[in-house]
Every structure is written in structure tokens, then in C-alpha cells.
Amino acid sequence: MFKLSKLAALAVAAGAALTVQAGEVEVLHYWTSGGEAKSAAELKKMMQAKGHTWRDFAVAGGGGDSAMTVLKSRVVSGNPPSAAQVKGPAIQEWASEGVLANMDGVAKAEKWDESLPKVVADVMKYKGSYVAAPVNVHRVNWLWASSDALKKAGVAAMPKTWDEFFAAADKLKAAGLIPVAHGGQNWQDFTTFESVVLGVGGAKFYQDALVKLDDKALGSDTMKKSLETFRRVKSYIDPGSPGRDWNLATAMLIQGKAGFQLMGDWAKGEFVAAGKVPGKDFMCAAAPGTASSFTFNVDSFILFKLKDASAQKAQSDLAAAIMSPEFQEVFNLNKGSIPVRLGMKMDKFDDCAKLSSKDFVESAKTGGLVPSIAHGMAVAPAAEGAIKDVVSQFWNDDKISVADAMKKIAQAAKTR
Ligand code: GAL
């Protein structure tokens, strides 16, 4: 009797311990396309394996603008999720509101300082303490191509310069194909724009114009040439572009209907999710003129202050999982990006990822490594939003002159 009741008491105690340990994580993200959803599912699996409950808070909309609006209203109403996909300078803005949790405990235990490039670690910290966990490094300055479309049009190699790009685009047009698959949403216009600026002006110019927002650079002939080149790209898109999601643009390449797409390497996640093989079914190359540069976009999760002990435990397990070598590998294999964690083996990764990894390291030495403005890495959200709007107005309205667009961009850059 005694033994049995003791056993029962033990079982109750174990159960209680379990309920304190297992908690719920509610994770806000905008990974809803095929490749993205597969990648996010890996994190969910890992949390469930630790006994936690995953509450998916997915807000559709590439680039995350809708997700950020929803996040703000949740936090304002005093009900934040455990974690949210937020990156770059926006991390500091959230932290300065006093709503983020101090993750130094898990960061110390898991040796984050030793496992991350210092530039990345600094972005994850507020006043010296970790408030966010990074997942990956996306490269934004990529050009993707459909092998079928290139073959049909007689384009033998990926273009290395903008002149070669336009020559190839003309061939695609002549073959009755859509030269450039473009999703007409402001963040996609902006993604194309930053690659054009980088290709036309080089990394130093990009840094001056789109990171430092320097007036002289924004008013220069190089900016003029960039806007002219950007407008020229538009003449190769199809009439169905306005409002199109980025993954549907990638699908046009997968189906062989379009030749090129200028997009970050989350596009590779779509190709791969559709069973396509890089170097065979599709091609990747640095956007024209940008081979020695790398526009980086580091996805990360900010962690909110939580009251409940089990939720805090689940949150710290989530942070540890994100930075674990196992997750960094499997997530990035699906996502199209490369691990942000240092010292990871790349043998399971494809040639596009290997090129990205090599260029990431090399560009950091030569000054070619620059933050993506279109993906929230370069400037504060207010200035980014204002410049993005002007760039899209210019893209959508051929009546706006290059000179006017330059003036408006310089004005927008002053938005605080
Ligand atoms: C980027 C983000 C990527 C990908 C893409 C499309 O800003 O960093 O992870 O999700 O948007 O939504």
C-alpha cells in the first residue's frame, strides 16, 4: 500500500514537473510559401520533440510588412507572442520599448558569442545583452534563371553585366518568353532596385547611397544611371506583374514561362521544394555586376518578456534550438540561405549555397559585404519605408522623371 501510494505520489510529482517544464511557444513569422513553410516546420518539429506546444502565428505577405503591423497591435494590447521574426535595426527599436526578454542566460550556456560573427552578434544585442536569436544569412543580390527558358532562347551563359543581361532579355523576348518574372509589390521593386544600384555603382557607392544615405551619393550621376537601368529592367516584365507574390514569380521560372528573376535566395527554397535541381533545372548567379559583393539579410527572432514560467522555459528552449547546429543545417537546406552559426560544415549544401558561403567570407574582407536596405538590415524602418515607397512610385509610373525620383529619394532618406 505504502509503496503504491509513494509511487503514485512520485508520478504526480513527475507530472507536475513535466507541466512546469513543457510550455507553449507562440511564434510570429511570415514564412508561408512552399519552401518557407517547410523550413519553419523544422523549428516546430524540434520544439515538439522537446515536449513543447507550438502555436503557429503565420501572417502571409512576403517581406513581412503585414506581419509587422499585426505584431505591433498584439504588443500594444499587452499580449505579445513568445517570439517574432524581426531583424536588423528594428530589433533595437523593439528593445528600446522595454518589451524584450534578456536572453543572456541561454546565450552564455550555448556559447553564442563564440558561435557568431561579431557583426551579427552586435545586431542581436541591446545594451550588451542578447534580445534576439539569428537563424541564417540570406544573400539578396542573386539572379535566378530557368534552364529551359535560357535554352529555348539560345542564351548560353548567365549574364555577368547589365549589358549582357539586357542582351539575354532581348533573346528571351524574341523567343516569346517573359524575360523577367517580377512580383509588383513594393518590397520586391525595392529588392530589384538595390541589386541594380549595387551592380551599377559597386559596394562603396551602395554603402554611401543606401546605408549612409549620403546626399551627394543620392544626387550623383551613378544614382541617375541606377534609376535608368532599373527602369529598363521594367520594360522586360509582363503585364500580370502588379501585386504578384514573389513565389508565384519564381513559379514562372519553374514552369519555364519566364527567364530571369532578381530575388534573394529564399527563391531557391521554392525551386528546391518543387524538386528542382540547381545547375540543372535552374541557375543561380550574382546579380549583374555584383559578383564581388554580398547584400546580407539575416533573419532572426526577437524574444518577448513573458510572465509564465513554463512559457519562459519554452522560449529559452526555442532560442537554444534556433542556434543549434542541427537546426541551422536543416533549416537552411530548405530555406535557401546559409547558416549564420560559424564553423558549420557545408557538405550537404548545393553549389549556390557554397558560392554564397564563399562570397560571404571573401566580401567581408574586401568591403563588398553590405546590408540589404530592402530587407530591413541597413537603415531604420521609417527611412526604409519612405524610400521604398518612392522607388515603387517611380517603378509604377513612367511619367516620373529620373531627376524627380532622385529628389524624392533624397527627401525620403531624411524620414525619422
Ligand atoms: C525576407 C526574409 C526571408 C523571406 C522573404 C520573403 O525579408 O528575410 O526570410 O521570407 O522576405 O518573405
Side-chain angles (χ1 to χ4, degrees), residues 15-93:
L18 260 184
T19 41
V20 174
Q21 291 299 309
E24 179 181 279
V25 278
E26 188 184 19
V27 183
L28 179 137
H29 63 91
Y30 46 93
W31 289 329
T32 53
S33 78
E36 291 175 330
K38 264 182 102 177
S39 320
E42 293 297 338
L43 193 54
K44 174 180 176 178
K45 256 193 251 163
M46 242 174 222
M47 290 306 286
Q48 287 173 336
K50 291 186 185 196
H52 298 303
T53 308
W54 173 275
R55 180 124 57 103
D56 203 45
F57 188 0
V59 180
D65 286 346
S66 312
M68 291 311 107
T69 309
V70 175
L71 177 63
K72 272 177 203 147
S73 68
R74 275 287 300 270
V75 180
V76 165
S77 67
N79 181 26
S82 318
Q85 189 192 341
V86 169
K87 54 192 173 175
I91 296 175
Q92 305 299 311
E93 290 196 354

Side-chain angles (χ1 to χ4, degrees), residues 30-31 36 61-64 85 87 136 138 187 246 266 297 299 335 375:
Y30 46 93
W31 289 329
E36 291 175 330
Q85 189 192 341
K87 54 192 173 175
N136 62 0
H138 270 304
W187 70 272
W246 67 270
W266 44 95
N297 169 21
D299 283 316
K335 189 68 168 67
H375 293 275

Side-chain angles (χ1 to χ4, degrees), residues 12-350:
V12 169
L18 260 184
T19 41
V20 174
Q21 291 299 309
E24 179 181 279
V25 278
E26 188 184 19
V27 183
L28 179 137
H29 63 91
Y30 46 93
W31 289 329
T32 53
S33 78
E36 291 175 330
K38 264 182 102 177
S39 320
E42 293 297 338
L43 193 54
K44 174 180 176 178
K45 256 193 251 163
M46 242 174 222
M47 290 306 286
Q48 287 173 336
K50 291 186 185 196
H52 298 303
T53 308
W54 173 275
R55 180 124 57 103
D56 203 45
F57 188 0
V59 180
D65 286 346
S66 312
M68 291 311 107
T69 309
V70 175
L71 177 63
K72 272 177 203 147
S73 68
R74 275 287 300 270
V75 180
V76 165
S77 67
N79 181 26
S82 318
Q85 189 192 341
V86 169
K87 54 192 173 175
I91 296 175
Q92 305 299 311
E93 290 196 354
W94 278 106
S96 68
E97 299 288 331
V99 291
L100 300 190
N102 182 326
M103 303 306 289
D104 281 347
V106 60
K108 214 175 203 150
E110 303 288 326
K111 299 197 168 51
W112 288 10
D113 271 344
E114 292 85 332
S115 312
L116 288 172
K118 187 170 180 308
V119 274
V120 175
D122 287 348
V123 178
M124 303 300 135
K125 290 177 184 176
Y126 179 67
K127 297 193 172 158
S129 290
Y130 279 99
V131 291
V135 239
N136 62 0
V137 182
H138 270 304
R139 184 185 201 177
V140 180
N141 59 314
W142 280 115
L143 177 69
W144 306 95
S146 152
S147 302
D148 270 358
L150 294 193
K151 210 168 148 206
K152 244 185 231 159
V155 176
M158 288 294 272
K160 291 198 173 66
T161 62
W162 286 105
D163 283 345
E164 285 178 17
F165 175 82
F166 292 124
D170 283 334
K171 285 191 179 168
L172 285 155
K173 204 180 215 169
L177 295 159
I178 299 164
V180 179
H182 182 74
Q185 296 173 347
N186 64 359
W187 70 272
Q188 297 188 66
D189 305 339
F190 208 21
T191 299
T192 297
F193 178 72
E194 72 170 35
S195 283
V196 171
V197 171
L198 185 66
V200 170
K204 164 84 173 69
F205 177 74
Y206 177 100
Q207 186 86 29
D208 288 344
L210 298 183
V211 183
K212 294 185 187 151
L213 304 179
D214 171 54
D215 264 343
K216 232 176 94 200
L218 291 174
S220 66
D221 280 351
T222 310
M223 186 48 87
K224 180 168 172 265
K225 196 166 172 220
S226 300
L227 281 160
E228 286 163 359
T229 308
F230 179 56
R231 180 160 271 170
R232 199 168 159 202
V233 173
K234 191 196 156 183
S235 62
Y236 291 96
I237 67 174
D238 69 309
S241 160
R244 178 188 287 142
D245 287 327
W246 67 270
N247 52 316
L248 299 183
T250 309
M252 291 162 68
L253 270 65
I254 293 174
Q255 293 151 9
K257 289 184 186 153
F260 295 123
Q261 182 183 20
L262 286 150
M263 188 49 67
D265 42 21
W266 44 95
K268 198 187 73 190
E270 284 310 290
F271 283 110
V272 170
K276 302 297 170 191
V277 178
K280 184 176 158 271
D281 305 314
F282 69 98
M283 314 292 284
C284 64
T290 72
S292 57
S293 307
F294 190 116
T295 31
F296 67 87
N297 169 21
V298 175
D299 283 316
S300 52
F301 283 94
I302 53 173
L303 293 317
F304 285 92
K305 277 184 187 159
L306 302 171
K307 291 189 194 93
D308 182 72
S310 66
Q312 285 172 358
K313 167 76 173 103
Q315 181 186 52
S316 120
D317 283 355
L318 175 78
I322 286 173
M323 272 292 289
S324 68
E326 300 75 32
F327 175 73
Q328 293 268 326
E329 180 176 274
V330 70
F331 176 86
N332 287 301
L333 281 170
N334 285 301
K335 189 68 168 67
S337 36
I338 55 172
V340 66
R341 196 187 163 99
L342 296 169
M344 295 278 302
K345 275 208 234 110
M346 293 297 291
D347 48 344
K348 289 200 191 132
F349 285 83
D350 60 39

